[in-house]
Amino acid sequence: MKPKTKHPLFLIVIAFCCTVSITCASNNKYKQPKKSDITMQDSLKEAQKLAQSLKRKGISDERVLTAIANVPRHEFIDKSLREHAYIDRPLPIGKDQTISQPFTVAYQSELLQLKPSEKVLEIGTGSGYQAAVLCEMGVDVYSIERFQELHLTAKETLNKLGYHPNLFFGDGYEGLPDHAPFDKILITAAPKEIPQKLKQQLKIGGWMVLPLGGSQGQKMTVVKRVSKDKFTESVHGDFIFVPMKEGTAE
Ligand code: SAH
């Protein structure tokens, strides 16, 4: 009797099926998403909607809108406030401070007119959200916070999300003389007067965006360094920020 051998076509079919199943298993499209992935995907959808609403409110820099759409804002606030994370509102972050309203974050970022790789100093790290938006825009971020606890929490959140700005615990009025000059400086708390040491840490041709004024409200101001000793100022609307205070705190 002739020994029973498998037909070569049969072997080819088996080999084909194995290859297809291996390819599918390694392809994300066919993977069952983990619960945490689903939450992150939902959040980014919410962040996208938030960016669209900011566009309707007048933000036109697409790079700013894309950055807002890519940052999971809920990660920067307490879990109990999760449902408010993607509403255009400031929210408490402890120490009597707030994460800025998304419109304000976008408005200040737009006024900075950032170019990739520019060196940017932020005063008032707070939750770290604005720093994350700046990182998304591809700039070299330096940020100072006067509350040690907020500084440490922001660092943890940012690093967990894969953002690695240069974070400092200290008094923003001093700036960072060792890292100056900066292309742009962004102040996210309100000083009553333009901080002189920060002006001197601007590159010539660079500028600073700050809410200028007392507790009754501030004017969003852009201070441009046009030459070594010459600065110009322009005003861009009314806002309310927490005050910029001197010194550091626990
Ligand atoms: N950019 C922040 C907004 C935080 S509110 C965010 O995205 O969440 C302003 C922050 O400025 C507060 O955390 C406050 O503690 C900080 N701040 C106020 N005065 C400061 C100073 N002199 N130096 C550094 N940070 C200061």
Side-chain angles (χ1 to χ4, degrees):
M1 227 168 75
K2 208 177 161 195
K4 236 186 175 178
T5 54
K6 287 197 171 89
H7 196 281
L9 186 62
F10 175 72
L11 293 174
I12 291 168
V13 170
I14 300 262
F16 175 73
C17 290
C18 289
T19 316
V20 169
S21 66
I22 290 166
T23 316
C24 292
S26 64
N27 188 332
N28 272 339
K29 233 165 58 181
Y30 298 92
K31 251 196 207 165
Q32 203 53 10
K34 281 186 276 164
K35 196 159 182 265
S36 57
D37 291 343
I38 299 172
T39 318
M40 191 55 95
Q41 280 169 16
D42 285 351
S43 310
L44 291 178
K45 267 188 211 149
E46 290 183 76
Q48 248 165 33
K49 281 192 197 153
L50 174 62
Q52 284 157 9
S53 77
L54 298 180
K55 191 173 184 168
R56 288 194 293 277
K57 289 180 184 174
I59 302 298
S60 59
D61 186 335
E62 285 298 331
R63 292 164 313 151
V64 172
L65 294 168
T66 305
I68 298 273
N70 283 334
V71 178
R73 189 169 185 256
H74 71 278
E75 296 281 356
F76 295 87
I77 53 171
D78 191 80
K79 280 194 177 64
S80 61
L81 298 168
R82 167 70 183 82
E83 61 183 302
H84 307 290
Y86 296 94
I87 298 172
D88 189 20
R89 264 193 226 151
L91 294 166
I93 54 170
K95 304 284 178 195
D96 264 344
Q97 306 302 316
T98 53
I99 177 173
S100 303
Q101 184 176 345
F103 179 80
T104 307
V105 171
Y107 191 75
Q108 287 197 297
S109 305
E110 186 162 84
L111 284 173
L112 288 172
Q113 295 179 28
L114 297 171
K115 294 184 203 82
S117 324
E118 277 189 333
K119 205 166 155 185
V120 182
L121 171 63
E122 178 195 22
I123 308 299
T125 316
S127 66
Y129 177 69
Q130 169 78 72
V133 169
L134 297 175
C135 288
E136 281 285 338
M137 295 183 73
V139 293
D140 190 11
V141 183
Y142 292 74
S143 184
I144 312 177
E145 172 54 53
R146 69 182 288 274
F147 277 107
Q148 188 167 35
E149 197 180 313
L150 295 181
H151 158 75
L152 293 173
T153 309
K155 190 176 183 136
E156 200 180 312
T157 311
L158 286 160
N159 293 351
K160 184 181 87 178
L161 293 170
Y163 299 114
H164 298 280
N166 304 289
L167 299 176
F168 299 82
F169 163 54
D171 181 357
Y173 278 104
E174 299 298 321
L176 293 172
D178 292 348
H179 298 276
F182 296 94
D183 293 290
K184 308 281 164 62
I185 297 178
L186 168 62
I187 308 188
T188 70
K192 290 198 178 109
E193 281 154 26
I194 302 169
Q196 291 305 311
K197 288 184 182 168
L198 295 183
K199 266 170 88 171
Q200 298 306 325
Q201 292 178 26
L202 274 174
K203 272 187 195 167
I204 293 170
W207 62 88
M208 168 156 63
V209 173
L210 73 157
L212 191 58
S215 56
Q216 299 305 309
Q218 305 94 32
K219 300 276 179 206
M220 190 63 78
T221 307
V222 175
V223 178
K224 238 177 215 184
R225 186 173 202 177
V226 289
S227 67
K228 188 171 179 292
D229 299 315
K230 192 167 177 243
F231 295 84
T232 60
E233 285 175 37
S234 56
V235 169
H236 304 261
D238 297 307
F239 287 82
I240 296 183
F241 281 71
V242 293
M244 180 165 168
K245 291 192 173 163
E246 279 180 46
T248 56
E250 299 270 298

